[in-house]
Amino acid sequence: MSVEPVTTRDHEARTRVHLQLTKTEIEEISEMLLYEELSRARIRDLEEGVRAQRARGSARAVRRWSRVARWAAQRAERYQNQS
């Protein structure tokens, strides 16, 4: 059994997969990346809209519970005065 010396260059030449992309493949990849970026932008816009909607809903809930608390306080005061 004999062993042949293998240089780094020989090893890389045997194992490396040469990727030569054609112009069409590069355009397809670029288009795919563009669509991915557009979908990320849409997701960010939707998330921003949801955050804004939650903030408005939270403010609305605060106003509603403030009204309920005011009504309850007035009612309690009215019943205390009757007793």
Side-chain angles (χ1 to χ4, degrees), residues 47-60:
E47 288 172 345
E48 184 179 319
V50 167
R51 277 194 295 273
Q53 191 174 19
R54 283 183 183 158
R56 284 192 305 270
S58 176
R60 192 177 318 134

PDB file of all heavy atoms in Angstrom, residues 47-60:
ATOM      1  N   GLU A  47     -47.004  44.764  11.829  1.00  0.00           N
ATOM      2  CA  GLU A  47     -46.697  44.780  13.259  1.00  0.00           C
ATOM      3  C   GLU A  47     -46.814  46.188  13.825  1.00  0.00           C
ATOM      4  O   GLU A  47     -47.322  46.381  14.931  1.00  0.00           O
ATOM      5  CB  GLU A  47     -45.296  44.228  13.507  1.00  0.00           C
ATOM      6  CG  GLU A  47     -45.196  42.736  13.302  1.00  0.00           C
ATOM      7  CD  GLU A  47     -43.775  42.213  13.360  1.00  0.00           C
ATOM      8  OE1 GLU A  47     -42.823  43.034  13.281  1.00  0.00           O
ATOM      9  OE2 GLU A  47     -43.605  40.995  13.491  1.00  0.00           O
ATOM     10  N   GLU A  48     -46.363  47.172  13.065  1.00  0.00           N
ATOM     11  CA  GLU A  48     -46.473  48.564  13.506  1.00  0.00           C
ATOM     12  C   GLU A  48     -47.939  48.968  13.638  1.00  0.00           C
ATOM     13  O   GLU A  48     -48.332  49.625  14.612  1.00  0.00           O
ATOM     14  CB  GLU A  48     -45.764  49.476  12.509  1.00  0.00           C
ATOM     15  CG  GLU A  48     -45.728  50.924  12.904  1.00  0.00           C
ATOM     16  CD  GLU A  48     -44.978  51.756  11.880  1.00  0.00           C
ATOM     17  OE1 GLU A  48     -43.937  51.303  11.390  1.00  0.00           O
ATOM     18  OE2 GLU A  48     -45.448  52.870  11.572  1.00  0.00           O
ATOM     19  N   GLY A  49     -48.761  48.562  12.680  1.00  0.00           N
ATOM     20  CA  GLY A  49     -50.192  48.853  12.742  1.00  0.00           C
ATOM     21  C   GLY A  49     -50.855  48.200  13.940  1.00  0.00           C
ATOM     22  O   GLY A  49     -51.700  48.809  14.601  1.00  0.00           O
ATOM     23  N   VAL A  50     -50.460  46.967  14.240  1.00  0.00           N
ATOM     24  CA  VAL A  50     -51.030  46.262  15.390  1.00  0.00           C
ATOM     25  C   VAL A  50     -50.636  46.972  16.683  1.00  0.00           C
ATOM     26  O   VAL A  50     -51.458  47.139  17.584  1.00  0.00           O
ATOM     27  CB  VAL A  50     -50.565  44.784  15.404  1.00  0.00           C
ATOM     28  CG1 VAL A  50     -50.863  44.119  16.731  1.00  0.00           C
ATOM     29  CG2 VAL A  50     -51.234  44.024  14.272  1.00  0.00           C
ATOM     30  N   ARG A  51     -49.368  47.407  16.779  1.00  0.00           N
ATOM     31  CA  ARG A  51     -48.939  48.130  17.982  1.00  0.00           C
ATOM     32  C   ARG A  51     -49.740  49.408  18.168  1.00  0.00           C
ATOM     33  O   ARG A  51     -50.177  49.730  19.272  1.00  0.00           O
ATOM     34  CB  ARG A  51     -47.452  48.451  17.904  1.00  0.00           C
ATOM     35  CG  ARG A  51     -46.562  47.306  18.336  1.00  0.00           C
ATOM     36  CD  ARG A  51     -45.148  47.773  18.560  1.00  0.00           C
ATOM     37  NE  ARG A  51     -44.523  48.235  17.338  1.00  0.00           N
ATOM     38  CZ  ARG A  51     -43.876  47.470  16.463  1.00  0.00           C
ATOM     39  NH1 ARG A  51     -43.779  46.180  16.708  1.00  0.00           N
ATOM     40  NH2 ARG A  51     -43.345  47.969  15.384  1.00  0.00           N
ATOM     41  N   ALA A  52     -49.950  50.144  17.082  1.00  0.00           N
ATOM     42  CA  ALA A  52     -50.728  51.385  17.164  1.00  0.00           C
ATOM     43  C   ALA A  52     -52.173  51.090  17.560  1.00  0.00           C
ATOM     44  O   ALA A  52     -52.764  51.811  18.377  1.00  0.00           O
ATOM     45  CB  ALA A  52     -50.687  52.119  15.820  1.00  0.00           C
ATOM     46  N   GLN A  53     -52.735  50.041  17.010  1.00  0.00           N
ATOM     47  CA  GLN A  53     -54.116  49.669  17.334  1.00  0.00           C
ATOM     48  C   GLN A  53     -54.236  49.271  18.800  1.00  0.00           C
ATOM     49  O   GLN A  53     -55.203  49.638  19.473  1.00  0.00           O
ATOM     50  CB  GLN A  53     -54.558  48.523  16.438  1.00  0.00           C
ATOM     51  CG  GLN A  53     -56.027  48.220  16.489  1.00  0.00           C
ATOM     52  CD  GLN A  53     -56.403  47.156  15.462  1.00  0.00           C
ATOM     53  OE1 GLN A  53     -55.553  46.423  14.977  1.00  0.00           O
ATOM     54  NE2 GLN A  53     -57.673  47.074  15.144  1.00  0.00           N
ATOM     55  N   ARG A  54     -53.242  48.543  19.316  1.00  0.00           N
ATOM     56  CA  ARG A  54     -53.268  48.160  20.733  1.00  0.00           C
ATOM     57  C   ARG A  54     -53.183  49.391  21.623  1.00  0.00           C
ATOM     58  O   ARG A  54     -53.827  49.454  22.665  1.00  0.00           O
ATOM     59  CB  ARG A  54     -52.102  47.231  21.048  1.00  0.00           C
ATOM     60  CG  ARG A  54     -52.317  45.827  20.572  1.00  0.00           C
ATOM     61  CD  ARG A  54     -51.169  44.937  20.971  1.00  0.00           C
ATOM     62  NE  ARG A  54     -51.359  43.607  20.448  1.00  0.00           N
ATOM     63  CZ  ARG A  54     -50.381  42.746  20.270  1.00  0.00           C
ATOM     64  NH1 ARG A  54     -49.140  43.078  20.577  1.00  0.00           N
ATOM     65  NH2 ARG A  54     -50.629  41.545  19.784  1.00  0.00           N
ATOM     66  N   ALA A  55     -52.365  50.372  21.219  1.00  0.00           N
ATOM     67  CA  ALA A  55     -52.239  51.590  22.021  1.00  0.00           C
ATOM     68  C   ALA A  55     -53.579  52.333  22.065  1.00  0.00           C
ATOM     69  O   ALA A  55     -54.002  52.805  23.120  1.00  0.00           O
ATOM     70  CB  ALA A  55     -51.142  52.482  21.452  1.00  0.00           C
ATOM     71  N   ARG A  56     -54.240  52.418  20.899  1.00  0.00           N
ATOM     72  CA  ARG A  56     -55.553  53.080  20.874  1.00  0.00           C
ATOM     73  C   ARG A  56     -56.565  52.306  21.708  1.00  0.00           C
ATOM     74  O   ARG A  56     -57.357  52.877  22.446  1.00  0.00           O
ATOM     75  CB  ARG A  56     -56.053  53.208  19.439  1.00  0.00           C
ATOM     76  CG  ARG A  56     -55.384  54.288  18.639  1.00  0.00           C
ATOM     77  CD  ARG A  56     -56.124  54.538  17.342  1.00  0.00           C
ATOM     78  NE  ARG A  56     -56.292  53.350  16.528  1.00  0.00           N
ATOM     79  CZ  ARG A  56     -55.429  52.943  15.599  1.00  0.00           C
ATOM     80  NH1 ARG A  56     -54.335  53.629  15.364  1.00  0.00           N
ATOM     81  NH2 ARG A  56     -55.658  51.856  14.901  1.00  0.00           N
ATOM     82  N   GLY A  57     -56.549  50.983  21.597  1.00  0.00           N
ATOM     83  CA  GLY A  57     -57.473  50.148  22.358  1.00  0.00           C
ATOM     84  C   GLY A  57     -57.223  50.267  23.842  1.00  0.00           C
ATOM     85  O   GLY A  57     -58.163  50.290  24.649  1.00  0.00           O
ATOM     86  N   SER A  58     -55.960  50.376  24.225  1.00  0.00           N
ATOM     87  CA  SER A  58     -55.628  50.515  25.635  1.00  0.00           C
ATOM     88  C   SER A  58     -56.147  51.843  26.177  1.00  0.00           C
ATOM     89  O   SER A  58     -56.711  51.892  27.275  1.00  0.00           O
ATOM     90  CB  SER A  58     -54.113  50.425  25.811  1.00  0.00           C
ATOM     91  OG  SER A  58     -53.772  50.639  27.147  1.00  0.00           O
ATOM     92  N   ALA A  59     -55.972  52.913  25.427  1.00  0.00           N
ATOM     93  CA  ALA A  59     -56.470  54.227  25.852  1.00  0.00           C
ATOM     94  C   ALA A  59     -57.995  54.200  25.959  1.00  0.00           C
ATOM     95  O   ALA A  59     -58.577  54.760  26.889  1.00  0.00           O
ATOM     96  CB  ALA A  59     -56.020  55.304  24.872  1.00  0.00           C
ATOM     97  N   ARG A  60     -58.650  53.533  25.022  1.00  0.00           N
ATOM     98  CA  ARG A  60     -60.103  53.416  25.048  1.00  0.00           C
ATOM     99  C   ARG A  60     -60.555  52.644  26.287  1.00  0.00           C
ATOM    100  O   ARG A  60     -61.521  53.024  26.950  1.00  0.00           O
ATOM    101  CB  ARG A  60     -60.567  52.701  23.775  1.00  0.00           C
ATOM    102  CG  ARG A  60     -62.053  52.757  23.545  1.00  0.00           C
ATOM    103  CD  ARG A  60     -62.453  52.099  22.227  1.00  0.00           C
ATOM    104  NE  ARG A  60     -61.569  52.415  21.134  1.00  0.00           N
ATOM    105  CZ  ARG A  60     -61.080  51.512  20.279  1.00  0.00           C
ATOM    106  NH1 ARG A  60     -61.388  50.249  20.384  1.00  0.00           N
ATOM    107  NH2 ARG A  60     -60.276  51.881  19.305  1.00  0.00           N
TER     108      ARG A  60
END
